[in-house]
Amino acid sequence: MLLCNILNYITMKKLLFLLALTLLVTGVDAQTRKSRKPAARQQTVEQRVIGRHMLSLQWISWDYFGYCDIKKQADGTLTCKGEQRSKENDDYLTIDGTIEIVDALHLKFTGTIVTKIYHIANGQPCVREGTFDFQSYEGRRYWRLMQKTNPCDECTDYVDIYFKR
């Protein structure tokens, strides 16, 4: 009886060891398989930037969005054009210009951004022209305009171009 209990104990230890080893190996293998993407599915930064994106200005809405189309022209230039319009009044955001990709988290926009918000700058359009930085940070899924101060009324504007889904 004692010998039988000892053999059972040794057999159980071996089984637990083999089970733990199997789980360890298959778990690592599953993680490796999960992290590997086929080369055909990997996108370049440019491919992720080109296309239709949601666009927003917090004064208009974070519940419904406008759009921003980024297109590659024949000469290789990336153009950016879009708008968000309020459903409640005549407030709007427009963006029109070119994009330079600095890296996956940083875009340089050169062109015109116009905001018209009823309670800012006496409800008059505020026009910004020049080169502006849009950056994604802290794990956010959008690029935010870094020059946030509205030059027409010293308030903060959050102009966001969202990553494609």
Side-chain angles (χ1 to χ4, degrees), residues 54-137:
M54 294 186 311
L55 176 71
S56 71
L57 173 65
Q58 92 276 16
W59 305 116
I60 298 174
S61 179
W62 274 326
D63 294 325
Y64 60 89
F65 300 89
Y67 68 90
C68 175
D69 289 320
I70 300 176
K71 298 178 180 178
K72 187 170 185 174
Q73 303 304 310
D75 65 357
T77 303
L78 298 179
T79 58
C80 176
K81 186 174 180 96
E83 65 180 26
Q84 181 186 24
R85 298 214 173 255
S86 173
K87 293 180 179 180
E88 292 134 21
N89 53 39
D90 63 349
D91 291 353
Y92 64 85
L93 157 70
T94 62
I95 185 168
D96 191 3
T98 60
I99 292 280
E100 174 194 338
I101 300 170
V102 177
D103 60 46
L105 302 177
H106 185 184
L107 306 176
K108 279 207 174 286
F109 170 82
T110 302
T112 305
I113 299 171
V114 182
T115 57
K116 181 187 173 303
I117 305 301
Y118 76 93
H119 63 275
I120 297 173
N122 297 318
Q124 297 303 304
C126 182
V127 179
R128 303 178 210 194
E129 293 181 315
T131 299
F132 305 94
D133 295 291
F134 281 82
Q135 292 184 358
S136 177
Y137 52 94

Side-chain angles (χ1 to χ4, degrees), residues 37-55:
K37 285 186 178 178
R41 292 186 63 203
Q42 290 180 347
Q43 289 186 320
T44 65
V45 173
E46 185 177 85
Q47 288 170 324
R48 283 182 269 165
V49 170
I50 293 172
R52 181 162 274 207
H53 300 264
M54 294 186 311
L55 176 71

